[in-house]
Amino acid sequence: MFYLAHRLDDASGQRFLLSARWDTGQFEAYEAFKNLGLEHPGLVAPIDVFRKDGVLYSVTPYDNESLLLDEASPLPNGRLLALGQRLTGVLAYLHTQGVVLSWVRRANLLITAENKVQLFDLEVEEILERPVPLDRSLHVIGQLGEL
């Protein structure tokens, strides 16, 4: 996976993150994910996706969150556990909606000013045709990358 994010400002002062994907095999799954229109307090979903010159770009709102990627590594155990607890709900929500992720890594986590974690710019492997009951969703969990 290649990852690129840029902060953009529009005329109204709204800020955005723009990310680019070069893996054409995941373009359709990510576009389908955007089209689901999912809303969850632990998810920053893309507001737009578009293709240009063989690259898939996604646009997500940005409100001065920090990237977990910017925090020192390795994370202290207490911090890691707190983040893991916060992520559990949004991951369960995504899986019940039929979203299969390839992985979740530090680069996919934003930290709000209130110290809450939000997933963004996800590596979507597949969107299942129908929602998955929570008690059966464990088989669709990919792998958690290094946090």
Side-chain angles (χ1 to χ4, degrees):
M1 177 202 65
F2 296 96
Y3 175 79
L4 173 68
H6 294 285
R7 295 177 184 154
L8 303 173
D9 298 341
D10 73 3
S12 70
Q14 172 80 37
R15 298 178 83 189
F16 304 94
L17 289 174
L18 175 69
S19 37
R21 291 174 168 68
W22 289 267
D23 181 357
T24 58
Q26 292 186 335
F27 284 9
E28 288 184 21
Y30 195 82
E31 290 168 329
F33 168 69
K34 187 267 179 205
N35 291 334
L36 289 174
L38 300 178
E39 293 185 23
H40 187 281
L43 177 67
V44 181
I47 58 172
D48 192 17
V49 295
F50 59 94
R51 295 182 192 206
K52 182 172 170 57
D53 300 327
V55 178
L56 179 71
Y57 294 94
S58 65
V59 180
T60 55
Y62 175 71
D63 192 24
N64 291 324
E65 298 91 351
S66 62
L67 293 167
L68 184 62
L69 196 59
D70 295 335
E71 291 191 18
S73 182
L75 294 176
N77 288 341
R79 178 84 167 128
L80 185 60
L81 288 172
L83 291 173
Q85 288 173 334
R86 292 184 189 127
L87 285 174
T88 303
V90 70
L91 289 173
Y93 171 75
L94 289 169
H95 292 302
T96 61
Q97 300 304 307
V99 178
V100 179
L101 302 177
S102 300
W103 59 72
V104 174
R105 296 192 178 165
R106 289 172 68 120
N108 302 113
L109 303 174
L110 291 175
I111 308 298
T112 68
E114 299 81 26
N115 204 30
K116 294 186 178 173
V117 65
Q118 295 178 311
L119 287 173
F120 87 110
D121 199 34
L122 299 172
E123 294 304 315
V124 179
E125 185 172 317
E126 176 183 11
I127 302 295
L128 302 177
E129 290 185 27
R130 55 181 192 233
V132 178
L134 188 55
D135 62 339
R136 297 188 44 110
S137 67
L138 293 178
H139 72 281
V140 298
I141 295 176
Q143 67 184 45
L144 288 176
E146 293 182 25
L147 292 177

